[in-house]
Amino acid sequence: MLDLVSVQISPPNSVPSVNQPLDLVCLGAPAADPSQQVNQVVWYKDGQKVTLRENMQLLQNNLTIHFDSPLPSDTGFYMCEMYEPTPQQTRVFSLGYLLSFAAWNVSISGPDTVSPGRLCKFTCLTSCTLNVDCTVRWQFRQGFPIGSYFSVHENEFRWTPSIPGTSQNFTCVAENAAVGRSAEATKLVEVIGIPLSGSQGVQKNELPAMIVSLGLLLLFDL
């Protein structure tokens, strides 16, 4: 039985380039019985069966799509589907490969300066489609943000700082681990001004707040 099927570029780790030949290969674990062979492979692009064009060929019993000269219109999310030669004709779908010739653009929206005690919001903006082409994670490489409130939901985080005269570096990483692609952006935010009324009390109780916040570290990579 096929344990894992994936689509990979060939040669491995090469960077797709317009007008340069490339192959997409449907790779699968061998069947437990060596005498069994996968008898059918179907290719999909963006959820639709691939229609061969003049610059494309199917090779190695359809396990490989060869592009003589890729074009921007060939950009898309490719998957292969294998059928095992069993009476039930078991279908196995692969992990996908995002064929793209453009670098991802990543930026972080939100203020460059913030005030103690005021809730602020930051959003990671990407040119890749969130949860389709890429996923987003936040990194805090110079320390976890100190404040009375902090929350993260996918590409957005909210933070209420509490100590004036400090700064924080936030990094947003967009990635697709399956195809080995990533891009990132970093934003420096300064905490200026004086604490708002009542926020001095927050500072006195900051250690418990930090302990609660540190519980969120399991969600992020430092």
Side-chain angles (χ1 to χ4, degrees):
M1 182 174 183
L2 293 171
D3 297 320
L4 177 65
V5 183
S6 64
V7 175
Q8 298 183 19
I9 193 170
S10 180
N13 302 319
S14 59
V15 178
S17 179
V18 175
N19 297 323
Q20 295 295 321
L22 68 84
D23 291 342
L24 294 181
V25 183
C26 184
L27 298 177
D33 182 354
S35 66
Q36 290 186 348
Q37 300 294 327
V38 174
N39 66 350
Q40 186 177 358
V41 176
V42 180
W43 284 90
Y44 296 87
K45 173 189 172 186
D46 297 330
Q48 302 295 320
K49 287 186 178 181
V50 168
T51 299
L52 293 181
R53 301 191 301 180
E54 293 182 355
N55 66 327
M56 302 166 62
Q57 302 176 55
L58 287 175
L59 306 175
Q60 297 180 325
N61 293 325
N62 294 351
L63 287 173
T64 298
I65 294 183
H66 173 75
F67 295 85
D68 295 323
S69 181
L71 302 172
S73 57
D74 293 317
T75 297
F77 192 72
Y78 287 82
M79 297 177 63
C80 61
E81 176 189 25
M82 288 185 172
Y83 288 79
E84 289 187 315
T86 62
Q88 296 80 18
Q89 283 287 295
T90 306
R91 303 169 63 187
V92 181
F93 284 92
S94 73
L95 301 175
Y97 182 88
L98 177 65
L99 180 61
S100 175
F101 305 103
W104 289 341
N105 295 317
V106 181
S107 61
I108 300 174
S109 69
D112 296 326
T113 58
V114 296
S115 300
R118 288 190 181 276
L119 180 66
C120 48
K121 182 179 78 170
F122 301 88
T123 305
C124 181
L125 305 174
T126 67
S127 59
C128 54
T129 303
L130 189 64
N131 296 326
V132 177
D133 301 334
C134 63
T135 58
V136 162
R137 57 188 172 91
W138 294 92
Q139 293 185 337
F140 308 103
R141 296 167 180 169
Q142 295 182 349
F144 199 73
I146 298 174
S148 59
Y149 177 79
F150 186 88
S151 70
V152 171
H153 179 67
E154 292 188 342
N155 65 327
E156 177 184 295
F157 78 83
R158 297 171 183 264
W159 173 47
T160 302
S162 57
I163 303 180
T166 60
S167 62
Q168 297 281 345
N169 265 316
F170 305 132
T171 299
C172 168
V173 180
E175 64 182 354
N176 186 323
V179 302
R181 292 194 63 187
S182 67
E184 65 179 53
T186 297
K187 187 178 187 67
L188 175 65
V189 179
E190 296 183 84
V191 185
I192 61 173
I194 60 175
L196 297 178
S197 176
S199 61
Q200 289 89 345
V202 172
Q203 291 186 41
K204 292 179 182 179
N205 295 293
E206 190 160 293
L207 181 58
M210 288 181 63
I211 293 174
V212 172
S213 296
L214 287 173
L216 295 172
L217 282 174
L218 296 175
L219 301 176
F220 315 112
D221 290 326
L222 292 178

